[in-house]
Amino acid sequence: MASKYETIKQDIIKKIESGEFSAGEKIYSEGDLKKIYSVSNTTVVKALNDLVNEGYLIRRQGEGTFVRKNLKHRKVFFSEQLSLSNDAKKKSVEKTITLNFGQVKDKFIAQQLGDKTGQRSLVKISQIALTNGRPWKIQNRYLFRDKLAKDSLERWVNGASLSEELGLVGHMSSLPMSMEVRTILLREGMEELEPLKLIEKRFGEEESYSLFDIRRLISGKDDVPIEYSRSFIHPDFYQIEIVGE
């Protein structure tokens, strides 16, 4: 049986997600919640503070508690379009170059993939996407080495499907995913642009580039993380559309 504290949280979340409490609307006061659930002030404050930390609510001193106005925790329709041609008259020729950076150690990524210690070795593969010879994306993909058979890595570098090498049913794009989209300023010579240097390519003639920085975590049907990726995409070749319900 759920605790009173958890019941309060889940009831408020349901009211937000169902639209009973809309974005920006003031919700129950602490006194209201104490009466409704017959609980102490400590229990109410703990539940509300958790909902603030999780992005559902915002509290204003002397005014009350309100539903956040941003899109966090709202159901949305998300569409992503990649490799947009800059020249409508020129036929787009797509190419992907795959570079194997071998085994690496990265505590943050290992923890994202489920290793609490962050000590397990990772395989890093960089893939560079080009359109008409112009690079527009660097994608760095990471997973634990023991997820792959001994010769899987070589096949993957040579164009094999990672989904097949992992023994997955269907394509990885159909699996559960969490994603963050940020922007980043990278200058020529920075480590993040090393894959481009190896193939003697650049995003452009500038000395620095403002790029989309996209981080994805893909999990299996059992919610066990499979792959973490981080991509740097030139804004000329990427757009997203988000529509809220």
Side-chain angles (χ1 to χ4, degrees):
M1 182 176 177
S3 65
K4 287 284 189 179
Y5 148 76
E6 192 62 37
T7 298
I8 294 170
K9 281 185 61 178
Q10 293 308 314
D11 285 354
I12 292 175
I13 289 172
K14 286 177 183 177
K15 290 180 186 296
I16 292 172
E17 293 182 341
S18 69
E20 186 173 339
F21 288 145
S22 58
E25 183 179 352
K26 185 176 181 179
I27 70 161
Y28 304 120
S29 68
E30 291 180 15
D32 291 335
L33 290 170
K34 285 170 61 179
K35 291 177 183 177
I36 293 170
Y37 293 95
S38 300
V39 294
S40 68
N41 191 65
T42 301
T43 299
V44 168
V45 171
K46 179 175 171 57
L48 291 177
N49 284 344
D50 266 19
L51 290 170
V52 168
N53 292 334
E54 291 171 18
Y56 287 99
L57 302 175
I58 184 169
R59 307 193 76 188
R60 298 179 187 146
Q61 186 68 35
E63 296 183 38
T65 306
F66 300 80
V67 179
R68 289 186 69 95
K69 292 183 179 180
N70 63 15
L71 289 175
K72 191 170 184 180
H73 298 298
R74 278 181 55 193
K75 186 180 289 185
V76 299
F77 297 96
F78 173 89
S79 88
E80 181 180 45
Q81 191 170 358
L82 304 172
S83 190
L84 308 176
S85 176
N86 285 332
D87 188 347
K89 297 179 181 179
K90 189 174 182 180
K91 185 177 179 181
S92 180
V93 178
E94 304 296 332
K95 182 179 180 181
T96 300
I97 298 173
T98 301
L99 303 170
N100 177 16
F101 280 77
Q103 295 194 49
V104 297
K105 286 288 187 75
D106 188 299
K107 184 176 181 179
F108 171 78
I109 295 175
Q111 289 175 336
Q112 293 297 300
L113 288 169
D115 175 24
K116 293 182 179 179
T117 68
Q119 298 303 309
R120 287 175 65 184
S121 291
L122 303 157
V123 167
K124 177 183 178 182
I125 295 287
S126 289
Q127 294 179 302
I128 303 168
L130 301 97
T131 232
N132 296 330
R134 179 184 173 187
W136 59 272
K137 177 176 73 169
I138 300 171
Q139 182 181 35
N140 299 310
R141 305 175 70 178
Y142 303 86
L143 67 161
F144 291 129
R145 181 66 182 87
D146 54 20
K147 292 274 187 180
L148 296 167
K150 289 184 178 180
D151 52 356
S152 286
L153 191 55
E154 183 179 352
R155 288 198 298 269
W156 183 17
V157 172
N158 290 323
S161 164
L162 179 58
S163 302
E164 292 179 1
E165 295 301 325
L166 291 170
L168 301 174
V169 177
H171 196 270
M172 288 185 72
S173 61
S174 65
L175 294 174
M177 176 196 72
S178 61
M179 173 176 170
E180 292 182 27
V181 180
R182 310 179 185 182
T183 57
I184 190 171
L185 182 67
L186 295 181
R187 294 179 175 84
E188 286 294 336
M190 285 186 167
E191 180 182 350
E192 290 87 348
L193 298 177
E194 183 68 16
L196 288 184
K197 183 178 179 182
L198 294 176
I199 64 169
E200 298 182 342
K201 295 281 188 179
R202 297 173 61 159
F203 278 127
E205 298 305 316
E206 300 85 2
E207 291 301 315
S208 62
Y209 310 99
S210 181
L211 306 170
F212 284 106
D213 178 1
I214 301 172
R215 308 173 192 208
R216 287 185 175 90
L217 179 65
I218 296 177
S219 302
K221 300 295 185 183
D222 53 3
D223 290 329
V224 175
I226 296 174
E227 179 194 75
Y228 180 90
S229 70
R230 186 179 182 189
S231 302
F232 304 105
I233 304 182
H234 195 286
D236 285 354
F237 296 86
Y238 182 77
Q239 66 183 38
I240 57 175
E241 180 181 9
I242 299 174
V243 180
E245 283 192 333

